[in-house]
Amino acid sequence: MESNPFVQKMLGYGEQGWELALSWLTSPAAWSQFALLVVAFGLAWLLSRRINNALRGLLTPAEDADGLIATARRFVLRFLPLMLPLLAYAFTAVGEQVVRSLFDSGAVIAFGKRVFLFLAARRLVHRIISDPFLKLLGKFILIPVAALYAVDLLDTATTALSEFRVGLGNISFSLMSLVRGLIAGSLLFWLGRWSNDQSAAMISKQKELRPATRQLAVKTVEIIIFGAAFLLLMNIMGISLGSLAVLGGAIGVGLGFGLQKIASNFISGVILLLEGQATVGDFVELDGGEAGTIVKMTARAIILETYDGRWIVVPNEDFIVTRVINYSDQGSANRYEAEFSVSYDTDINTVPAIVEAAVQGHPDVLAEPYPADCELRGFGDSGIDFSVEFWVNGIDDGRHKYTSDVLFLIWNALKDNGIQIPYPHRVIEFKGEMPK
């Protein structure tokens, strides 16, 4: 029965490794190289301890320091665990040159040098990298590649992946190019996300810019970063941008009709950011009844948070093609009314002054553009109807219940002045005999 070619190849590599190990064990030159490896590691261990202690004392910032220099010093300190394997690698490289010049042989010490590099990669992944995505790439890509390099099989694996081709219609590409594209794409887009987060945080700190301008700057930087990452990835994978243009034109015609809404929402979002008529923190109400505070503006939609804690995702286009009421407008005043009634026995000429003074005493009621104004509205069935108008900075909902506070003030002021608030009176007339 014929064996699997892959199994045969692995068995061949195993036999070669076993023969190589036996030759090393019986060779005086190999034992001298082993001794050099031990000496190189010992020197690296002693020197790394001294250097690490000196660098820790020099680079460790104060606990409360949070500036750019302190952040850079903490970043450098994270890489100190690499000092031992890298020094061992460097000393072994020097020893390899000496051995090859003397004995014209250095396979053992070259193997040891590659092992030290593998230990450096392993320490980098397990002790230094903290980002979950980068740690995942390190475990499943960097460490296996370093292990193949340590046993001198990296070139063999690369050649095998390059020879293995995958066909997709008229397109054919090697498995190596696919692996290279996946690795490069993962790193590029992680770097793009990190760069975008850093630039967004920096732009958000520029308080002299309008909120809408900051949002537009963040979106512009995001498009530039990921656009550059995409073009660089295409270059790494060897894909012609000219062929992409032809393919993109064909696909664009087909998808254009289906993506009209997405394109419309994206352009509407850019217009909103440029005009600045609605921005994060504003309380808005749409014709459709959606109302809430803008908490986030994305490329496709605006997210409103209602006062009961719910989030409403409203497409950007709705803010362009429908009427939008902006109650906030970055701190402008809003007018509200509070209605009440008094008894017909009241001298109504005294009511406006009493109520206006009480309402104006509220700390949030403004004197500009107009002070509190009490107006007679009509003569009701049970009492005389009044309404007081007042201006405040904010929305009469959520954390601020201005109308409720004003009604409490009116009630207390009328009670203090002996003015009664009526309750309904009804007169019932019976025709004929009274019921028994």
Side-chain angles (χ1 to χ4, degrees), residues 120-411:
R122 189 174 182 278
R123 185 166 287 194
L124 175 68
V125 172
H126 290 286
R127 297 183 57 179
I128 297 174
I129 295 177
S130 58
D131 184 86
F133 179 74
L134 290 182
K135 190 177 283 291
L136 185 68
L137 286 180
K139 285 182 179 179
F140 293 100
I141 295 177
L142 180 60
I143 291 180
V145 168
L148 289 173
Y149 177 71
V151 295
D152 202 19
L153 290 178
L154 183 60
D155 292 337
T156 304
T158 302
T159 303
L161 291 175
S162 300
E163 293 174 352
F164 188 88
R165 305 196 67 81
V166 179
L168 186 62
N170 295 328
I171 302 175
S172 177
F173 51 89
S174 68
L175 193 58
M176 186 64 199
S177 63
L178 180 61
V179 172
R180 189 188 299 116
L182 288 174
I183 296 173
S186 300
L187 289 174
L188 282 174
F189 282 95
W190 175 87
L191 184 61
R193 186 197 67 182
W194 179 84
S195 302
N196 183 63
D197 292 343
Q198 298 300 315
S199 59
M202 184 182 66
I203 294 172
S204 299
K205 293 178 181 178
Q206 310 305 314
K207 300 301 181 184
E208 65 274 8
L209 299 177
R210 293 171 54 245
T213 305
R214 293 199 297 267
Q215 289 283 335
L216 181 61
V218 168
K219 295 301 176 187
T220 303
V221 171
E222 182 178 0
I223 293 173
I224 292 173
I225 288 175
F226 285 103
F230 175 76
L231 294 177
L232 186 58
L233 177 61
M234 293 299 101
N235 187 41
I236 292 174
M237 295 183 66
I239 298 177
S240 172
L241 295 180
S243 60
L244 276 182
V246 176
L247 181 62
I251 295 175
V253 173
L255 296 181
F257 294 102
L259 299 179
Q260 284 183 17
K261 282 293 183 182
I262 295 177
S264 175
N265 285 318
F266 178 79
I267 296 172
S268 299
V270 174
I271 294 173
L272 287 171
L273 291 173
L274 286 173
E275 293 183 347
Q277 295 180 356
T279 187
V280 175
D282 287 354
F283 186 91
V284 297
E285 181 180 353
L286 280 73
D287 267 355
E290 300 90 350
T293 302
I294 298 177
V295 295
K296 190 175 183 180
M297 301 178 71
T298 68
R300 187 189 66 84
I302 290 179
I303 300 175
L304 308 180
E305 183 178 13
T306 64
Y307 280 116
D308 54 6
R310 292 178 174 87
W311 278 22
I312 305 174
V313 180
V314 182
N316 290 328
E317 186 182 18
D318 291 357
F319 279 78
I320 300 295
V321 300
T322 63
R323 186 183 66 171
V324 179
I325 303 174
N326 191 335
Y327 289 93
S328 299
D329 194 20
Q330 300 178 11
S332 63
N334 297 301
R335 192 196 70 171
Y336 296 98
E337 296 183 6
E339 298 178 349
F340 64 98
S341 300
V342 298
S343 171
Y344 274 101
D345 297 331
T346 306
D347 181 5
I348 61 173
N349 296 297
T350 62
V351 172
I354 294 172
V355 172
E356 289 171 1
V359 174
Q360 199 63 49
H362 191 285
D364 292 327
V365 173
L366 304 175
E368 297 290 339
Y370 301 102
D373 181 27
C374 183
E375 300 176 352
L376 176 64
R377 291 297 173 85
F379 301 97
D381 294 338
S382 303
I384 304 173
D385 299 329
F386 284 87
S387 178
V388 60
E389 299 175 350
F390 58 95
W391 291 75
V392 292
N393 272 328
I395 307 301
D396 186 27
D397 202 350
R399 295 171 298 173
H400 306 294
K401 299 289 187 180
Y402 299 116
T403 302
S404 175
D405 294 344
V406 166
L407 288 174
F408 270 108
L409 292 172
I410 294 172
W411 171 274

